[in-house]
Amino acid sequence: MELTEVFGSNVFNDKIMKERLPKQIYKALKETIEKDMSLRSDVADVVANAMKDWAIEKGATHYTHWFQPLTGITAEKHDSFISLAPDGSVILEFSGKQLIQGEPDASSFPSGGLRATFEARGYTAWDCTSPAFLKTDEAGMVTLTIPTAFYSYNSEALDKKTPLLRSMKAVSKQALRVLRALGNTVSSKVTSTVGPEQEYFLVDKSFYLDRIDLMLAGRTIFGAPAPKGQELEDQYFGAIKDRVMDYMNDLNMELWKMGITSKTQHNEVAPAQYEMAPIFATTNIATDHNQLVMETMQKVALRHDLVCLLHEKPYAGINGSGKHNNWSLSTEDGINLLEPGNTPGENVQFLLFVSAMIKAVDTHADILRATCATAGNDHRLGANEAPPAIISIFMGEELTDILAKISKGEKITTKDAEFTKVGVDTLPEFPKDNTDRNRTSPFAFTGNKFEFRMVGSAQSIAGSNVALNTIAAEAFDEIAGRLEKAKDKNAEAAQIIKEIYKKHSRVIFNGNNYAEEWVKEAEKRALPNVKNAVDALKAFVTDKAFKLFEKYEVFSHKELHSRYDVYVETYSKQINIEAMAAIDMVKKQFIPAGLEYATFLADSAASFKDIGVGASVQEDILKKLNTLLSSAYKNATKLETAVVKAQAMGDAVKQAEAYRDKVFAVMQALRIDVDAMEMIVPRDTWPVPTYTELLFKL
Ligand code: ADP
Ligand code: MG
């Protein structure tokens, strides 16, 4: 098949709908999708039937309502199309009701107290703005997959999609108000768009299966550094190994079939690290697709006897993985609100929206930070390979200069002498691509979009985009309110830009975010620097956060609190798993291996001495090894005690703090002993694959 035929061949997309639905039904469905209305049941019946026929022709036997619970991964329950006719024969059925709503048992998903155990029911509802598609498993079973929102009996959101859709609605409404106030009478909808770049590692499956830590925690809790790391800078954009290329080809094919626009692929900075970037899409589709990307990456890897690691920091000492969340806003008639234009009017609009984002990010830096707070991402943020835990915005010198001049009421000049009017000021035409590529900023303006680089590689991008959309909505709301009242819109716009720059320019930083000086400078600017997830998550339960999310109807008080509870608990669970895996490996693998080699050294020393030869080498190594063994044994015992104590704590936040301060700290100490032991014990005796094997034998 040609690529153009492969692409989207497993999607019930617009083309298929047009072909297979009666004209009236197609029109009604399109209108529902475009205007965010609810689906009529007569329309749903016809659509469901067409979907079923299409799916069955393509080999499907089952359908599933696919949803995104707070675990951060996706969930699905499969039902077959079979149904019994009155005469006992089997017919294939899929009704509009079954398409629109499902009723999975919600009791085994984290809800943060939203769902009482006596009301275990959860509901799923088709998000018709994200097309249904076919998922094929490795055994060849095909399932009609319907993207859905997941909520409780009381209509409280139990998932990540519902708040995302709500936030998209909020930002559209407020952005449109700004556009209207500026004289745009045509555009009818603003959508947030996202292109998430996904980083990942590959490791040979046989090595992976020999490492309890990788299997259970997704990262190596132990491991001495390989003699070679990333210092030669020979991996990034280097030629892709054949085995990996085979994998990528296979991955692309699977993604393309599901209509996912896998576009760019390359080697990343660390050995065995790679990246895939799609073409951007509407935020909810981009989010659905990113979940599928993560799932497919893992599935396809197994076919190649590889394992795909999505953890933010699988290996110490080399770069970890993140997700660059490229975000922008566009009208349905094709105007990118973050795109500098060619006319004065377009530039006022651009500067207003950019300024609004400066205000939004400065005001709610804590919330953005909280959306990236996971145990895994703690290893990455601030580790001089990823953005620091401090949120700042990179605007580029030129744009910063223009904003600064407007704020001071200064004239803006340019070499090309192409002036355009903004209020009382003059503005040059903005050259596109004027932003140099600052790679260290957590929130970089990159010409016509912002790139939020804090998101962890294993995370759903939903949370960060819910926050981005909502904080943008709030800033637009305030700006729209002022513009609507103003007589001279241009003068008011200039005034708003001026005021925002004066108040919020502290969040702009164009320098090196990895530099030690920036940490000090940020402190002077009173920018928050929250170094760990447990503290960062607290930003979800401040008055400011409740007010924000309630005002724009994205989260109720209860819904927001439930997220906090779930994420704090998840943090504890994560560290608990790591600690248990660490104890297991030390007691059953590393100490026995150390003892084995120690015994060999002792025996060897004794037999050397028997024949009157000195055994200083054996004695020297044995002494060192013995010290490490006792220390590891002591620390493992300490870790056991710390875990038991943490497990017994009643208060969830105190518990998470105990995991962070007590459990994690001992784990780190234990790692030092074990890694030092690994440097001494012969490879044949060492019970698990080493960093050299994990990173280079691919
Ligand atoms: P890099 O950061 O590696 O230089 P690119 O410039 O190629 O990456 O683009 C990164 C991502 O940004 C891609 O997924 C691309 O589709 C996405 N992108 C481009 N324009 C927009 C936009 N208007 N809204 C959201 N994402 C966008
Ligand atoms: Mg990028």
Side-chain angles (χ1 to χ4, degrees):
M1 265 209 285
E2 298 241 355
L3 185 48
T4 47
E5 277 173 59
V6 170
F7 187 84
S9 56
N10 283 347
V11 185
F12 195 73
N13 56 21
D14 195 58
K15 188 170 154 257
I16 305 284
M17 289 197 277
K18 216 174 196 163
E19 277 168 22
R20 292 182 170 248
L21 295 174
K23 244 195 186 126
Q24 285 310 319
I25 298 287
Y26 172 76
K27 245 181 80 185
L29 179 62
K30 280 295 271 189
E31 199 174 291
T32 309
I33 294 171
E34 273 154 24
K35 299 199 176 143
D36 295 329
M37 304 183 323
S38 45
L39 194 62
R40 277 181 7 224
S41 65
D42 58 319
V43 176
D45 276 330
V46 182
V47 175
N49 200 49
M51 241 184 218
K52 178 204 71 188
D53 290 346
W54 169 79
I56 288 173
E57 279 167 36
K58 294 199 149 257
T61 49
H62 288 67
Y63 69 91
T64 181
H65 275 204
W66 182 67
F67 56 102
Q68 300 170 26
L70 300 182
T71 51
I73 53 174
T74 55
E76 48 197 75
K77 181 185 111 196
H78 296 196
D79 280 296
S80 75
F81 290 117
I82 63 164
S83 174
L84 285 182
D87 67 356
S89 63
V90 161
I91 49 170
L92 300 180
E93 228 179 27
F94 185 51
S95 68
K97 207 169 149 250
Q98 287 167 313
L99 166 64
I100 295 180
Q101 202 183 57
E103 234 188 77
D105 183 345
S107 57
S108 297
F109 296 103
S111 79
L114 279 181
R115 179 199 38 72
T117 25
F118 58 85
E119 189 37 273
R121 228 188 300 238
Y123 297 90
T124 49
W126 182 30
D127 165 20
C128 62
T129 59
S130 184
F133 57 96
L134 300 175
K135 236 164 101 168
T136 313
D137 70 13
E138 293 304 286
M141 193 174 120
V142 183
T143 305
L144 172 64
T145 308
I146 300 150
T148 59
F150 179 46
Y151 56 93
S152 75
Y153 180 73
N154 301 321
S155 296
E156 284 157 329
L158 296 173
D159 69 344
K160 298 196 172 230
K161 187 189 263 285
T162 309
L164 185 63
L165 293 172
R166 293 176 185 160
S167 74
M168 289 172 70
K169 214 166 156 180
V171 76
S172 176
K173 183 173 162 193
Q174 302 304 336
L176 267 184
R177 279 179 63 210
V178 176
L179 287 175
R180 288 281 181 275
L182 291 174
N184 175 330
T185 54
V186 200
S187 304
S188 62
K189 188 172 168 179
V190 173
T191 4
S192 65
T193 52
V194 165
E197 302 165 52
Q198 176 73 48
E199 293 180 335
Y200 62 98
F201 279 85
L202 291 175
V203 62
D204 192 281
K205 188 173 144 200
S206 63
F207 296 137
Y208 170 89
L209 292 177
D210 276 342
R211 298 237 16 162
I212 291 168
D213 48 3
L214 269 185
M215 273 203 297
L216 302 187
R219 75 177 183 96
T220 52
I221 300 169
F222 304 100
K228 177 180 189 273
Q230 60 193 44
E231 64 278 16
L232 291 180
E233 298 176 332
D234 55 353
Q235 163 79 359
Y236 189 59
F237 280 20
I240 301 171
K241 282 183 187 163
D242 287 348
R243 185 178 183 193
V244 176
M245 197 51 122
D246 275 351
Y247 164 74
M248 287 180 174
N249 287 339
D250 221 6
L251 172 67
N252 285 336
M253 201 51 81
E254 292 301 326
L255 296 177
W256 288 335
K257 280 194 248 167
M258 291 189 288
I260 299 170
T261 54
S262 174
K263 167 89 177 158
T264 310
Q265 62 197 24
H266 58 79
N267 282 354
E268 256 302 326
V269 171
Q273 192 188 25
Y274 310 93
E275 179 182 295
M276 190 288 285
I279 299 171
F280 71 96
T282 309
T283 308
N284 67 320
I285 294 180
T287 304
D288 287 356
H289 282 181
N290 186 249
Q291 296 297 133
L292 286 171
V293 163
M294 290 194 282
E295 190 184 306
T296 312
M297 278 179 166
Q298 289 173 303
K299 208 166 78 176
V300 172
L302 295 176
R303 260 186 234 167
H304 294 258
D305 285 321
L306 294 165
V307 172
C308 169
L309 304 174
L310 292 170
H311 193 281
E312 284 77 12
K313 193 77 177 177
Y315 306 105
I318 57 168
N319 276 18
S321 300
K323 195 128 57 182
H324 290 176
N325 188 86
N326 294 272
W327 178 92
S328 190
L329 294 164
S330 287
T331 63
E332 91 296 349
D333 52 348
I335 309 167
N336 179 344
L337 303 184
L338 297 176
E339 174 109 36
N342 300 319
T343 67
E346 283 167 4
N347 277 338
V348 177
Q349 180 182 302
F350 164 68
L351 287 175
L352 261 183
F353 280 110
V354 159
S355 298
M357 288 317 295
I358 294 172
K359 174 188 161 74
V361 171
D362 186 38
T363 310
H364 298 297
D366 59 335
I367 291 175
L368 284 178
R369 169 71 182 90
T371 65
C372 303
T374 65
N377 222 9
D378 270 5
H379 294 277
R380 190 179 150 254
L381 300 178
N384 281 9
E385 49 158 81
I390 308 161
I391 300 240
S392 67
I393 307 181
F394 169 81
M395 289 299 312
E397 297 296 342
E398 195 171 2
L399 205 47
T400 309
D401 198 45
I402 289 170
L403 291 169
K405 280 187 171 150
I406 295 176
S407 83
K408 287 186 234 147
E410 283 173 21
K411 278 234 175 324
I412 296 150
T413 53
T414 170
K415 294 169 235 109
D416 330 326
E418 278 189 89
F419 298 101
T420 50
K421 280 248 168 230
V422 174
V424 290
D425 301 294
T426 51
L427 274 187
E429 220 175 81
F430 297 119
K432 258 194 112 179
D433 270 338
N434 61 343
T435 46
D436 34 329
R437 301 192 144 232
N438 182 311
R439 289 282 172 203
T440 66
S441 174
F443 202 82
F445 182 69
T446 51
N448 60 3
K449 60 186 188 309
F450 282 103
E451 185 168 340
F452 186 36
R453 299 181 176 136
M454 259 191 185
V455 187
S457 50
Q459 281 190 280
S460 158
I461 57 168
S464 291
N465 288 297
V466 166
L468 281 170
N469 292 340
T470 313
I471 67 175
E474 184 192 55
F476 300 164
D477 183 5
E478 271 187 51
I479 290 172
R482 285 181 62 173
L483 288 175
E484 282 160 1
K485 277 190 227 122
K487 281 208 186 74
D488 183 343
K489 311 279 183 206
N490 264 353
E492 182 68 358
Q495 184 60 28
I496 292 170
I497 295 167
K498 201 169 174 169
E499 283 173 27
I500 289 182
Y501 188 82
K502 281 202 171 135
K503 190 157 172 213
H504 299 287
S505 63
R506 64 169 190 162
V507 78
I508 299 175
F509 179 62
N510 294 324
N512 177 8
N513 282 257
Y514 297 170
E516 203 34 57
E517 300 89 77
W518 168 233
V519 178
K520 291 193 197 107
E521 167 68 20
E523 204 179 303
K524 269 195 224 140
R525 298 190 191 182
L527 298 175
N529 181 6
V530 188
K531 295 194 183 94
N532 65 80
V534 184
D535 287 339
L537 286 169
K538 293 186 175 130
F540 281 138
V541 286
T542 62
D543 286 345
K544 179 169 79 79
F546 286 126
K547 234 175 95 186
L548 169 77
F549 288 109
E550 281 182 288
K551 179 163 185 197
Y552 297 97
E553 296 177 344
V554 172
F555 286 119
S556 68
H557 192 285
K558 219 168 138 196
E559 285 173 335
L560 188 55
H561 213 294
S562 72
R563 267 64 189 172
Y564 174 67
D565 292 344
V566 170
Y567 299 150
V568 168
E569 208 181 303
T570 304
Y571 176 92
S572 294
K573 285 178 182 165
Q574 200 78 48
I575 308 279
N576 186 63
I577 292 168
E578 291 187 359
M580 301 299 276
I583 292 166
D584 197 74
M585 290 174 88
V586 170
K587 284 174 51 174
K588 296 189 189 150
Q589 296 187 299
F590 301 137
I591 289 184
L595 288 175
E596 187 185 330
Y597 186 48
T599 307
F600 165 84
L601 289 168
D603 289 350
S604 169
S607 47
F608 271 42
K609 281 183 189 159
D610 274 353
I611 54 168
V613 187
S616 61
V617 174
Q618 292 94 320
E619 282 171 4
D620 189 46
I621 302 176
L622 184 55
K623 246 185 249 156
K624 282 184 191 147
L625 183 55
N626 209 25
T627 309
L628 291 170
L629 273 167
S630 343
S631 182
Y633 185 69
K634 220 169 68 198
N635 278 325
T637 313
K638 247 174 142 174
L639 185 56
E640 282 177 312
T641 314
V643 169
V644 170
K645 264 196 190 155
Q647 282 171 344
M649 292 184 97
D651 179 272
V653 177
K654 291 223 171 74
Q655 181 176 57
E657 285 165 355
Y659 275 109
R660 178 193 65 195
D661 300 332
K662 301 286 193 298
V663 177
F664 189 75
V666 187
M667 263 168 64
Q668 291 297 87
L670 182 56
R671 176 172 194 149
I672 293 173
D673 300 329
V674 172
D675 290 0
M677 242 161 50
E678 186 186 334
M679 305 287 276
I680 297 178
V681 175
R683 175 65 194 94
D684 289 351
T685 312
W686 197 247
V688 299
T690 63
Y691 268 30
T692 301
E693 288 155 314
L694 296 167
L695 290 166
F696 295 98
K697 275 198 176 176
L698 205 63

